[in-house]
Amino acid sequence: MKFIKFFIVATITFFISMNLLAHEPSGESFKLSGKITSINLTKEGGVINVSSEAGRYGKVFLTYNVVINQALGNQGHFSGRGIGFNNGERQGGARQGVFRRDGSVLKFWSLDDVSDGNLNYCETTIDLVTEEVEMTFYPLW
């Protein structure tokens, strides 16, 4: 019985992971460039704060709460928040995802739930040396 349960779970996991690997973002994307405003280190990883101009969201502030995978120090997961102000309008969002580090460059992949009703897939590159941030957002629907 345990083998059957294991086989079913392994098969479902395999097919889900194949779909994730085959994901190619499409649709109307938008990009933004920003700067790191602060980094605070913690026992688990750290907090990275970013500010930028973000088109329809105006001036935005983002927080990445990074948790390093204790088994693999060059990757982990994160959660965060974002807030934007454009002509007096305020939009906020929650974000969650994973990251991988290569030298001083961090690559983040996240899903964002924004208060204007948009759900976005986001790819972010943060260079810790230059403090530059590049983000590309893709709508999920």
Side-chain angles (χ1 to χ4, degrees):
M1 189 63 159
K2 288 183 181 180
F3 176 75
I4 293 173
K5 287 181 183 178
F6 173 77
F7 179 76
I8 291 171
V9 170
T11 302
I12 291 171
T13 303
F14 172 77
F15 284 111
I16 289 173
S17 65
M18 291 304 289
N19 284 337
L20 291 175
L21 291 173
H23 174 72
E24 287 199 33
S26 60
E28 285 188 37
S29 65
F30 70 93
K31 296 181 181 239
L32 66 87
S33 297
K35 285 296 230 183
I36 295 173
T37 58
S38 69
I39 295 177
N40 296 307
L41 302 178
T42 66
K43 289 180 184 176
E44 294 79 27
V47 178
I48 302 171
N49 292 299
V50 173
S51 71
S52 178
E53 291 293 329
R56 67 178 175 226
Y57 296 116
K59 180 70 170 187
V60 293
F61 302 94
L62 302 157
T63 297
Y64 295 80
N65 299 299
V66 176
V67 178
I68 296 172
N69 181 326
Q70 295 303 310
L72 300 165
N74 68 336
Q75 69 183 45
H77 66 276
F78 77 98
S79 63
R81 305 264 327 140
I83 189 167
F85 298 94
N86 191 13
N87 296 326
E89 292 285 321
R90 176 194 174 276
Q91 298 293 338
R95 40 197 2 238
Q96 291 188 13
V98 295
F99 74 93
R100 177 165 283 163
R101 182 183 56 80
D102 184 13
S104 64
V105 175
L106 298 167
K107 302 257 318 167
F108 291 83
W109 298 270
S110 67
L111 296 174
D112 302 349
D113 177 17
V114 187
S115 62
D116 63 0
N118 288 316
L119 295 173
N120 294 314
Y121 164 70
C122 180
E123 296 178 357
T124 304
T125 302
I126 296 179
D127 188 320
L128 297 171
V129 172
T130 64
E131 300 182 357
E132 294 178 354
V133 179
E134 299 291 329
M135 302 174 80
T136 305
F137 292 88
Y138 301 90
L140 289 177
W141 283 275

